[in-house]
Amino acid sequence: NGLHPLVPSLASRPSLDPRFDLQVLLVINYLQTAPSPPLLPQLDPLTLLVAPQKPAPPNTQSLAELLRGFFAYYAEHPMDQAVSVATASHVPRPGSWTFERFCILDPLAPDEDLGRNLTPKTLPMLRRELARAARDLQTSGDLLLLFQKPETLPNKRKPVR
């Protein structure tokens, strides 16, 4: 039917946890825009159907490389740009806010910012954790290291505050 498999599930279920929606949209946008070649197709922004794509060679990045790329990508994401799954791009951030915020546009309601709950206090914490995860994957390549609490990590690393 031309719909990307994720679209019907996002459109048909009630939103139970906005943090989950935000995380899913960030992963989708990353896989649409950052890896070369992209792993997910662009959508037609009006219909949310898969847009016609040019054939591309297969992506050969490992899961660890993609995950490290995801963390690094969003740790450095410019705050004047909004993440848009509907257009598979970053677009100028709508509205005017008094602080930098991570704007993630809802593909089903493009005027809705799903990142609106990040505050001036929580945004730097998120960016630090994304940068830490990218750094840890770069230096150790150990996916399990990402899931350990800072106090249980080897002494070579101090927790980020």
Side-chain angles (χ1 to χ4, degrees):
N1 67 3
L3 278 177
H4 192 277
L6 291 173
V7 174
S9 64
L10 285 174
S12 64
R13 72 172 180 80
S15 182
L16 300 177
D17 186 346
R19 292 170 299 179
F20 176 76
D21 292 344
L22 181 118
Q23 293 163 2
V24 168
L25 291 174
L26 288 176
V27 168
I28 291 171
N29 183 262
Y30 174 74
L31 294 175
Q32 288 175 315
T33 59
S36 183
L39 290 169
L40 290 180
Q42 291 185 338
L43 303 178
D44 179 311
L46 298 176
T47 64
L48 294 183
L49 298 174
V50 174
Q53 309 290 312
K54 295 178 189 174
N59 187 302
T60 58
Q61 291 175 280
S62 70
L63 180 59
E65 290 170 318
L66 289 168
L67 189 58
R68 188 198 68 72
F70 171 84
F71 292 135
Y73 187 74
Y74 288 115
E76 299 297 323
H77 179 72
M79 292 295 108
D80 63 338
Q81 297 291 302
V83 172
S84 174
V85 168
T87 62
S89 65
H90 298 139
V91 297
R93 184 177 66 182
S96 59
W97 293 290
T98 57
F99 68 93
E100 289 188 335
R101 51 190 284 162
F102 210 119
C103 183
I104 298 103
L105 300 178
D106 185 331
L108 302 175
D111 294 332
E112 186 74 21
D113 174 12
L114 298 175
R116 68 187 172 278
N117 294 327
L118 289 170
T119 67
K121 182 178 179 182
T122 58
L123 179 62
M125 291 168 33
L126 172 65
R127 289 177 79 101
R128 275 195 311 272
E129 284 304 304
L130 289 166
R132 179 195 62 82
R135 210 175 34 252
D136 287 351
L137 273 175
Q138 181 69 37
T139 57
S140 75
D142 185 359
L143 290 174
L144 294 177
L145 186 65
L146 298 178
F147 302 103
Q148 293 180 358
K149 292 182 179 180
E151 60 269 13
T152 65
L153 293 171
N155 287 336
K156 65 182 181 180
R157 223 183 111 251
K158 295 180 181 172
V160 177
R161 300 234 182 246

